Amino acid sequence: MSMSQQIERRIRKAFQTPKKGETFELRNGLVSQYARERKDAIQRTIQAMTVGKDVSALFPDILKNIATPDIEQKKLVYLYLMNYAKSHPELCILAVNTFVQDASDPNPLVRALAIRTMGCIRVDKMVDYMEIPLRLTLKDENPYVRKTAAICVTKLFDLNPQLCIEEGFLESLQTLIEDSNPMVVANAVSALAEIQDRAPEIKCFVVDPHILSKLLVALNECTEWGRIAILTSLSDYKASDIKDAEHICERVVPQLQHANPSVVLAAIKAVIAHVEIQNSEAKANLLRKLGPPLVTLVSSAPEVQYVALRNIRIILQKYPQILNRELRVFFCKYNDPPYLKMEKLEIMVRIANEKNIDQLLSELKEYSMEVDLDFVRRAIRAIGQCAIKIESAVEKCVNVLMDLIYNKVNYVLQEVVIVMKDVLRKYKTFESCLPVLCQNIDELDESEARAALVWIVGEYADKIDNSGEILQGFVSIFNEEATQVQLQLITAVVKLYIKKPEAGQNMIQGVLQTGTKSDNADVRDRGYIYWRLLSSDTVIAKDIVLAEKPPIVSTIEDLPKSLLNELIGELSTLASVYHRPAATFMGHGKFGADAVQKRAIEEQKQLANEDEVGAGVNAENLLDVDFSVDSPTVDSPASNPVTASKGGSALDELNDLFAPVQIPKITGNASSNQDIMNMFKNTAPTSSVSHNLSSTKDAFAELNFDNSFSSHANSGVPSKSSKTNEDLLGLF
Amino acid sequence: MISALLVYNQKGEVLISRLYRDGLRRTIADVFRIQVISNPDVQSPVLTLGSTSFLHIKHANIYLVAVTRSNVDAGLVFEFLYKIVSLGQSYFSGHSLLSSNGENFSNGSTGKHGFNEDNIKNNFALVYELFDEIIDFGFPQNTETDTLQMYIAKDVPTNPVKSLTRTLSISTSVITSQATGAISWRQPGIKHRKNEIFLDVFEDVNLLVSASGAVLRADVNGHIQMKAVLSGMPECKFGLNDTLSLNSGNMKDNVSRGSHDATRSGSITLEDCQFHQCVRLGEFESTKTISFVPPEGEFELMRYRAVENISLPFKVIPQIIQHGKTKLEYSIVLKANFDSKLGATNVEIKIPTPKTLTKYNINYASGGKAKYEPGSNHIIWKFNRVAGGSEYQLRAEVDMSPEIWTKPPIQLQFSLTMFTSSGIVVRYLKVFEKTNYNTVKWVRYVVRAGSYEIRY
């Protein structure tokens, strides 16, 4: 054999389909004359498909096995078809005949299988062939086939909504709601609800009193999953009057006893949806019934528990009294996964009250000594939240916090300092704690803790003997500190200077000088503002810097009202787990212009929501602080226009000027405005104030209120804040 | 709704991948593997990347993952995943998962039985068949084991080719009517020579005791497991000694039936109860009677929760004294607070020791076997049987390198029959059937430790 021949053969071999290897063997098996070998080959093909091998080359050979009386083999072939239909659309059509035949097979299971699979072969051409079998099966005498056909309508709608509507399949689907079989009803409801969700404009699923009665009948008879579908559509239904709502609740309440926790959650959602309209007695009665099932959810599987706990948090904000006496079930078990422990803490601080605080505190103290760092810190924070929330228990809380300090664990100490900052802001009676807190400065290495301590020292400068010394320690390394600490440091030194001029004298000049030379605009601006303020009139400066701060009501983070109302209607969904509107994490619609428009609206909504979430509240909405036309005395670097993104910090600065601390996560936005308002109330009586303010050409002069109100009108800021704004306007 | 179901093994290899909807790429499987399985930081069972969400649970040595691109009902998805597990359990081990926590199948991870990697690999065609039947285009369908087993049977390996005869042995109309019917859990026409009912009342008692010995939390999660071997379409009525059912119309039944504990023959209060779907919830709501047509075989009839008057079968009195920075002295006393005729089995006390343990010495144990387990940092003190009224003591010493010891709680495991912590008693169970047959009924009570924790 010559060389060239050998090479030629080798080349030829390379281009031929392989005679060995898995594909070859499978192909041989698929066309074998023995049924058993063929089936075996199909199985192995599916196996290869599962592990990710590409066996699409076998498509024609697999297809040869489609016509078989062996239903199991048929299922396997169908599975293969569904998988590779996309890559071989033209070959799929070869299977159509079998599908159409099967759809009128005497065996209902075969009929159902055919229609189920046809809908899953997502090839455009298939649509034309689906029409007739679908129409037949929707009216099949067998409920099993009908319930499968109901779902198939959604599949068709997903492929070709136009055709689905034109051919009247939606109407057929609607008639299935009145079917005698509960499962058919449930599937029809699921199918319609999904179509409605995707294309609200065609209004294919409008629950009227007639449909409502059908749903309520099916509710008691269908499978657990069907019940959830029905309960969900019941919660979306707007009751026409009290009677209607009462009737629905009456039928839904028994479902609270269902063994499946997700049915229970769906039932809770449905009850809550119809509880507001009812009179207060009925409402209280219904809400009382929700307590025990909610607690029981906490003993389900951990993942379900997680969903339940996240939802309980939403429900608690709406109905704070609902679990008043149930603190103990939320105690963390030692082996609970960390994500559950965190959620349980969140819930415990929310149901803490004067009666159960002792129990809760001893439990929280126990948690503070565990190993999981995040959990420990969260537990300490919870103690602080209780101290702020329950005035009568603050002393006990502080005692626990002080006990924790003695353990000398670094991260515990830092967290205690952060928490104590809030406590010391609200309550003036804990000066005795100050020495202990100030003893451990060297241990603090996190900027949040350092900033908190600096704030404490500034605020209590006159009560701490060596406050000057402590601040001096920070000032000497001013440039090494984080921005957060630097900002607090400026404020604290100013307070020190005002309270104890002799101690602050030396420091103030240095700090303001270093501050105003900072590269960070926030630090620099704060430096300048204080500088101006102090150099104008020390009496006014004192009034402003030491102004009475609005009390902190709660440090427990609440959801903004609009978000709460949205989530309460979406209990158990992913949105309720994330505490975020669905639009922020979901894929946006698929169909053209409508979807784009919807998406734009959603994005706007999302922006609005985010604004409300942000603790600082986007400044542009409230006060349009425009430093671009800054006073001529300011050095050039500061004259950068404050862009929208910096707006937040600008407001913070203002806040800080008026109430010399960054309000730690005060809920809602009204309170931060009150800071400003209070300041003005305090100073307004002095007639010289406004004159002084304008004449000194300080930052205030640049507040562009007109602008702020026009922008505020565009964005939907809650009315509360707009009112405070108007008050402000009145002042000026 | 659910866009795809994926099953992985421990290593992150895909065992089953079933995509129900468009819009997902095949590589979605890799995304989950990289983001969750090989990422030790992931804690939450829910993860959303872009607009795709993954909801997963772990069972034995496998991960079950539901993938979705919509705002799904997360509670439903997780429950559904657990349903798949219990379905797999009953297909591969012959009986269903007794409770959602799966504690009864803790040994199902590697063995021949149970829903695990080996069984899925060996029966993947069956699993696909099930995945196609229980979910359609992302909507969960009938998941009742009994019904599914009528037309999707486990392969017998010796006979891989089966024909329609398997399914046709039961008429298809029976199958379809049961798969969609109002009573989807029971097939008609069952006949037994002997009609029997077995009731098991299981209670998991949860306890948390503070270092000072005060009970911080004590409650009971109970579930009543029923095994019905009954002919025809029996109507059952079931009554307990809880105030709920006693206060409304069942007063005539309120004759004390020699309960197992005379001192607690009175009624008890249940905080809440949940029922199997066969129980007519509407009827329970209005008349407080528990009536139902039971499925054939084993199922969980009801679950309940009780918090009042919990009797605790065991008391643990720990005394752990720290000498200096490096020495701990243990003295643990275990007291059995129940009738001396009863005996608890599988009693195991886990006594935590510091991680930096350098030396240990178990000086004395008045009973049972005590052993130090270095892997878990515990001294395990085990008893095969603890008789009622008895008391045991353990003394040990431990040396350690100095550290701040976080003191995890002492944990107790046990199982005790013919005792209930809540005091619940089954008052009656009546069976009505057309043919009026006699039914033999068996009732058993078992209390076990749920999370039984003692601080010190």
Side-chain angles (χ1 to χ4, degrees):
Chain A
M1 199 188 293
S2 77
M3 196 68 140
S4 63
Q5 268 178 318
Q6 258 185 12
I7 291 172
E8 192 193 313
R9 192 184 297 164
R10 221 178 267 168
I11 291 171
R12 213 172 258 171
K13 217 173 169 183
F15 281 100
Q16 266 173 1
T17 44
K19 286 235 165 65
K20 279 182 200 149
E22 200 177 9
T23 314
F24 175 73
E25 269 177 40
L26 286 174
R27 178 166 292 145
N28 265 354
L30 289 171
V31 296
S32 160
Q33 52 178 324
Y34 302 106
R36 178 185 291 197
E37 277 181 21
R38 287 202 301 271
K39 186 168 177 183
D40 186 53
I42 296 171
Q43 287 202 339
R44 284 191 290 132
T45 310
I46 303 284
Q47 199 153 28
M49 187 179 89
T50 302
V51 296
K53 285 181 195 154
D54 183 10
V55 283
S56 61
L58 296 169
F59 203 96
D61 304 290
I62 291 276
L63 207 56
K64 285 173 196 151
N65 290 291
I66 195 168
T68 168
D70 181 347
I71 198 164
E72 194 176 321
Q73 180 177 333
K74 201 184 265 294
K75 281 180 185 169
L76 289 174
V77 173
Y78 282 179
L79 186 65
Y80 180 93
L81 280 184
M82 288 185 261
N83 236 308
Y84 288 115
K86 273 254 149 108
S87 52
H88 294 75
E90 65 298 330
L91 283 174
C92 272
I93 304 307
L94 296 177
V96 160
N97 255 339
T98 320
F99 281 129
V100 175
Q101 241 167 45
D102 280 1
S104 50
D105 193 276
N107 182 345
L109 293 175
V110 175
R111 292 203 295 277
L113 181 64
I115 198 69
R116 186 170 80 201
T117 313
M118 272 187 108
C120 294
I121 294 183
R122 317 201 50 78
V123 175
D124 288 336
K125 281 183 198 157
M126 203 58 153
V127 172
D128 308 331
Y129 300 95
M130 241 158 95
E131 247 178 84
I132 297 164
L134 182 56
R135 207 180 299 283
L136 276 176
T137 46
L138 275 169
K139 295 203 168 78
D140 200 287
E141 40 118 37
N142 191 299
Y144 184 82
V145 181
R146 287 202 302 276
K147 71 111 182 162
T148 313
I151 298 288
C152 191
V153 177
T154 345
K155 296 177 186 169
L156 181 63
F157 188 86
D158 196 35
L159 265 179
N160 191 336
Q162 188 97 37
L163 182 99
C164 197
I165 298 166
E166 279 168 10
E167 294 297 323
F169 283 122
L170 296 184
E171 283 81 19
S172 317
L173 198 52
Q174 280 156 354
T175 57
L176 286 186
I177 293 187
E178 302 183 31
D179 201 281
S180 57
N181 184 292
M183 187 144 180
V184 177
V185 179
N187 272 6
V189 168
S190 304
L192 282 169
E194 166 147 339
I195 295 173
Q196 172 76 21
D197 194 42
R198 295 195 157 210
E201 65 281 356
I202 55 173
K203 295 201 168 48
C204 65
F205 188 43
V206 182
V207 181
D208 56 32
H210 177 68
I211 292 181
L212 180 68
S213 68
K214 296 284 170 197
L215 293 183
L216 290 175
V217 169
L219 177 61
N220 264 320
E221 292 175 344
C222 61
T223 65
E224 42 203 325
W225 318 114
R227 288 182 202 218
I228 296 174
I230 293 178
L231 286 168
T232 308
S233 60
L234 285 179
S235 31
D236 293 339
Y237 169 73
K238 294 272 167 290
S240 50
D241 52 30
I242 296 184
K243 262 212 164 133
D244 211 11
E246 276 174 359
H247 182 59
I248 294 173
C249 286
E250 203 176 289
R251 303 299 284 272
V252 169
V253 161
Q255 304 302 323
L256 295 174
Q257 248 75 46
H258 198 281
N260 184 328
S262 51
V263 175
V264 177
L265 253 178
I268 290 171
K269 170 160 67 173
V271 171
I272 287 181
H274 296 289
V275 84
E276 284 299 332
I277 189 176
Q278 303 193 34
N279 64 45
S280 57
E281 193 191 335
K283 184 179 162 185
N285 199 9
L286 280 168
L287 289 177
R288 207 172 313 121
K289 283 188 178 161
L290 297 186
L294 277 174
V295 172
T296 303
L297 290 175
V298 183
S299 50
S300 41
E303 293 83 2
V304 185
Q305 245 186 83
Y306 180 64
V307 176
L309 291 170
R310 295 287 288 179
N311 278 288
I312 288 174
R313 218 163 119 182
I314 299 171
I315 297 171
L316 273 179
Q317 193 182 331
K318 182 103 181 167
Y319 305 107
Q321 308 303 322
I322 204 163
L323 294 171
N324 250 358
R325 283 174 301 151
E326 304 283 2
L327 179 73
R328 288 197 278 183
V329 284
F330 296 102
F331 282 1
C332 301
K333 292 178 181 160
Y334 191 74
N335 294 328
D336 273 341
Y339 61 86
L340 283 188
K341 289 186 173 179
M342 291 296 202
E343 280 311 308
K344 287 183 175 177
L345 275 177
E346 290 290 345
I347 288 170
M348 282 192 275
V349 294
R350 280 171 174 78
I351 50 183
N353 56 33
E354 291 183 6
K355 282 185 195 136
N356 59 24
I357 186 70
D358 289 349
Q359 249 181 2
L360 177 59
L361 270 184
S362 67
E363 194 65 15
L364 289 175
K365 191 176 176 187
E366 202 70 43
Y367 301 157
S368 317
M369 291 184 276
E370 281 195 22
V371 260
D372 179 352
L373 194 137
D374 292 333
F375 180 60
V376 169
R377 301 196 74 144
R378 185 63 195 84
I380 296 171
R381 206 153 275 211
I383 299 175
Q385 289 174 331
C386 291
I388 303 292
K389 182 180 173 186
I390 305 164
E391 296 200 9
S392 60
V394 62
E395 202 154 330
K396 289 174 196 154
C397 296
V398 170
N399 286 343
V400 172
L401 288 171
M402 289 302 121
D403 281 355
L404 288 172
I405 287 193
Y406 291 113
N407 289 345
K408 296 274 180 207
V409 182
N410 176 282
Y411 54 85
V412 171
L413 180 76
Q414 313 220 29
E415 196 63 38
V416 170
V417 170
I418 295 169
V419 161
M420 279 307 287
K421 179 197 68 187
D422 289 343
V423 175
L424 287 168
R425 175 169 170 176
K426 177 161 183 179
Y427 307 98
K428 307 287 176 202
T429 49
F430 292 103
E431 284 160 24
S432 55
C433 303
L434 295 170
V436 187
L437 291 172
C438 297
Q439 253 165 32
N440 298 297
I441 294 170
D442 299 341
E443 294 278 326
L444 307 179
D445 51 16
E446 286 168 31
S447 48
E448 196 185 352
R450 287 179 79 83
L453 188 87
V454 169
W455 182 85
I456 293 172
V457 174
E459 182 67 18
Y460 287 84
D462 46 340
K463 307 281 168 52
I464 301 171
D465 298 337
N466 59 344
S467 51
E469 217 172 285
I470 295 171
L471 290 180
Q472 184 63 53
F474 282 93
V475 168
S476 62
I477 46 166
F478 187 91
N479 286 324
E480 292 160 34
E481 296 285 1
T483 311
Q484 200 182 3
V485 187
Q486 291 179 341
L487 288 169
Q488 288 305 334
L489 203 46
I490 296 177
T491 309
V493 173
V494 171
K495 284 188 203 164
L496 175 73
Y497 172 67
I498 289 173
K499 288 183 173 178
K500 293 206 289 190
E502 69 289 352
Q505 198 90 54
N506 304 329
M507 240 182 292
I508 186 85
Q509 190 83 7
V511 166
L512 290 180
Q513 240 156 25
T514 329
T516 46
K517 285 200 185 95
S518 168
D519 291 337
N520 184 300
D522 293 342
V523 176
R524 199 172 52 227
D525 289 349
R526 184 176 294 193
Y528 275 120
I529 288 174
Y530 279 124
W531 202 330
R532 296 276 136 206
L533 191 62
L534 291 172
S535 53
S536 59
D537 184 334
T538 38
V539 180
I540 295 168
K542 192 175 175 183
D543 278 345
I544 291 175
V545 172
L546 302 182
E548 184 81 5
K549 282 170 284 294
I552 311 177
V553 181
S554 168
T555 44
I556 300 170
E557 271 180 81
D558 274 346
L559 300 168
K561 239 197 175 120
S562 61
L563 181 60
L564 173 69
N565 286 333
E566 183 179 343
L567 292 182
I568 203 98
E570 300 209 351
L571 291 182
S572 191
T573 62
L574 279 180
S576 77
V577 173
Y578 287 127
H579 292 178
R580 280 165 54 190
T584 57
F585 59 85
M586 249 171 57
H588 300 288
K590 291 180 186 170
F591 337 101
D594 283 346
V596 175
Q597 194 184 356
K598 199 174 153 200
R599 183 170 163 180
I601 294 167
E602 275 167 354
E603 262 167 24
Q604 284 302 317
K605 271 194 206 159
Q606 175 192 340
L607 275 175
N609 278 324
E610 275 167 7
D611 285 349
E612 285 160 35
V613 177
V617 178
N618 207 334
E620 325 155 69
N621 291 339
L622 303 171
L623 299 166
D624 197 7
V625 186
D626 187 3
F627 285 99
S628 58
V629 278
D630 220 333
S631 48
T633 47
V634 176
D635 288 340
S636 54
S639 59
N640 292 335
V642 177
T643 54
S645 63
K646 280 186 186 162
S649 54
L651 181 70
D652 279 353
E653 268 177 308
L654 277 175
N655 276 341
D656 229 73
L657 175 59
F658 302 140
V661 63
Q662 280 177 322
I663 302 106
K665 288 174 187 162
I666 286 191
T667 52
N669 42 20
S671 49
S672 58
N673 283 345
Q674 261 156 12
D675 268 11
I676 302 173
M677 208 169 72
N678 279 5
M679 187 295 273
F680 283 109
K681 273 188 186 150
N682 283 342
T683 49
T686 336
S687 60
S688 64
V689 167
S690 55
H691 170 71
N692 260 322
L693 285 176
S694 52
S695 68
T696 49
K697 267 192 106 184
D698 247 313
F700 310 104
E702 310 299 334
L703 299 177
N704 186 348
F705 279 91
D706 284 332
N707 198 349
S708 85
F709 287 113
S710 59
S711 72
H712 143 76
N714 294 336
S715 57
V717 181
S719 56
K720 216 172 173 184
S721 71
S722 84
K723 209 176 160 206
T724 47
N725 276 346
E726 266 155 338
D727 283 354
L728 270 176
L729 189 68
L731 265 173
F732 279 81
Chain B
M1 272 295 120
I2 299 169
S3 295
L5 284 177
L6 305 169
V7 182
Y8 295 84
N9 66 8
Q10 203 95 27
K11 282 182 262 170
E13 291 162 357
V14 181
L15 303 178
I16 301 282
S17 138
R18 179 72 181 88
L19 309 187
Y20 295 100
R21 295 205 168 195
D22 282 356
L24 293 179
R25 268 183 266 159
R26 286 256 151 211
T27 51
I28 202 78
D30 300 326
V31 175
F32 181 79
R33 176 173 55 240
I34 295 161
Q35 297 289 342
V36 178
I37 299 183
S38 27
N39 183 351
D41 293 335
V42 167
Q43 300 280 5
S44 160
V46 196
L47 175 76
T48 297
L49 298 164
S51 55
T52 307
S53 305
F54 299 86
L55 295 90
H56 77 275
I57 64 168
K58 261 190 96 168
H59 169 79
N61 53 1
I62 53 171
Y63 287 88
L64 266 96
V65 188
V67 188
T68 175
R69 290 173 61 83
S70 64
N71 183 22
V72 287
D73 186 324
L76 175 144
V77 173
F78 284 124
E79 268 306 311
F80 183 73
L81 292 178
Y82 274 103
K83 198 71 177 194
I84 294 177
V85 171
S86 83
L87 197 60
Q89 292 282 20
S90 47
Y91 262 92
F92 297 132
S93 41
H95 45 105
S96 66
L97 198 71
L98 290 179
S99 78
S100 54
N101 297 335
E103 72 250 21
N104 298 312
F105 286 90
S106 48
N107 56 350
S109 55
T110 48
K112 265 183 136 179
H113 298 299
F115 193 51
N116 56 35
E117 182 178 350
D118 287 350
N119 278 331
I120 291 175
K121 273 186 174 163
N122 295 335
N123 298 284
F124 77 95
L126 168 73
V127 176
Y128 271 121
E129 210 178 329
L130 282 174
F131 275 23
D132 260 331
E133 192 57 42
I134 57 175
I135 189 166
D136 190 4
F137 203 51
F139 300 109
Q141 302 293 304
N142 194 334
T143 47
E144 286 303 306
T145 313
D146 264 13
T147 312
L148 289 169
Q149 274 176 340
M150 288 166 73
Y151 60 108
I152 299 177
K154 196 182 163 191
D155 248 344
V156 186
T158 50
N159 178 22
V161 181
K162 266 187 279 112
S163 68
L164 264 181
T165 50
R166 179 197 72 191
T167 11
L168 287 180
S169 59
I170 309 165
S171 129
T172 51
S173 64
V174 173
I175 295 173
T176 55
S177 75
Q178 201 193 326
T180 59
I183 304 182
S184 62
W185 53 86
R186 189 176 182 91
Q187 27 178 311
I190 301 172
K191 278 206 178 72
H192 293 287
R193 265 219 338 260
K194 192 176 176 192
N195 292 293
E196 285 181 299
I197 288 184
F198 302 87
L199 268 183
D200 278 327
V201 180
F202 287 107
E203 293 201 332
D204 289 328
V205 53
N206 299 311
L207 173 73
L208 181 59
V209 179
S210 76
S212 60
V215 175
L216 296 177
R217 168 187 182 186
D219 57 54
V220 166
N221 286 326
H223 61 111
I224 299 181
Q225 205 70 28
M226 183 163 169
K227 187 180 172 192
V229 185
L230 297 172
S231 312
M233 276 290 180
E235 259 299 323
C236 298
K237 271 202 162 86
F238 177 67
L240 295 163
N241 63 332
D242 65 304
T243 42
L244 269 184
S245 43
L246 288 176
N247 286 343
S248 47
N250 282 326
M251 293 307 278
K252 54 180 178 289
D253 266 305
N254 199 358
V255 190
S256 180
R257 312 267 175 103
S259 79
H260 62 285
D261 187 345
T263 56
R264 287 194 276 110
S265 59
S267 64
I268 63 155
T269 312
L270 297 183
E271 286 298 294
D272 188 27
C273 40
Q274 260 87 38
F275 298 101
H276 185 267
Q277 57 168 318
C278 66
V279 175
R280 295 187 188 90
L281 297 177
E283 205 169 319
F284 177 76
E285 178 67 24
S286 52
T287 66
K288 299 294 170 206
T289 48
I290 306 169
S291 67
F292 55 98
V293 177
E296 184 68 4
E298 212 174 303
F299 67 101
E300 186 182 277
L301 176 64
M302 78 176 274
R303 251 181 282 154
Y304 60 88
R305 207 155 48 74
V307 294
E308 278 172 28
N309 300 322
I310 306 296
S311 35
L312 301 167
F314 282 102
K315 196 171 177 190
V316 177
I317 307 160
Q319 234 188 338
I320 300 176
I321 304 164
Q322 187 157 1
H323 297 290
K325 284 198 163 162
T326 58
K327 215 172 182 60
L328 286 173
E329 195 184 308
Y330 289 77
S331 161
I332 314 285
V333 174
L334 174 75
K335 277 187 183 168
N337 275 338
F338 48 88
D339 197 289
S340 58
K341 280 176 239 154
L342 304 176
T345 51
N346 300 323
V347 182
E348 182 183 308
I349 308 178
K350 283 174 90 174
I351 305 157
T353 55
K355 278 207 186 79
T356 54
L357 176 140
T358 51
K359 209 180 94 187
Y360 72 95
N361 189 10
I362 297 167
N363 298 331
Y364 169 77
S366 62
K369 272 183 196 155
K371 201 172 78 182
Y372 171 68
E373 268 188 12
S376 65
N377 291 310
H378 280 106
I379 293 173
I380 309 283
W381 189 19
K382 270 187 181 169
F383 297 84
N384 288 330
R385 187 173 186 279
V386 174
S390 57
E391 188 175 324
Y392 296 96
Q393 198 190 11
L394 172 96
R395 282 203 297 273
E397 279 171 13
V398 162
D399 288 0
M400 61 173 183
S401 330
E403 64 155 338
I404 293 161
W405 188 35
T406 54
K407 294 193 182 180
I410 293 174
Q411 291 173 306
L412 188 62
Q413 288 296 325
F414 60 83
S415 162
L416 175 59
T417 37
M418 297 324 280
F419 184 94
T420 59
S421 280
S422 65
I424 204 168
V425 176
V426 176
R427 288 198 169 272
Y428 60 87
L429 174 61
K430 294 172 187 161
V431 182
F432 305 95
E433 219 275 336
K434 285 195 295 252
T435 56
N436 232 345
Y437 53 70
N438 278 328
T439 312
V440 186
K441 298 159 204 163
W442 307 88
V443 184
R444 187 168 63 135
Y445 301 88
V446 180
V447 60
R448 298 172 301 194
S451 143
Y452 212 88
E453 298 180 346
I454 295 110
R455 294 178 182 155
Y456 45 87

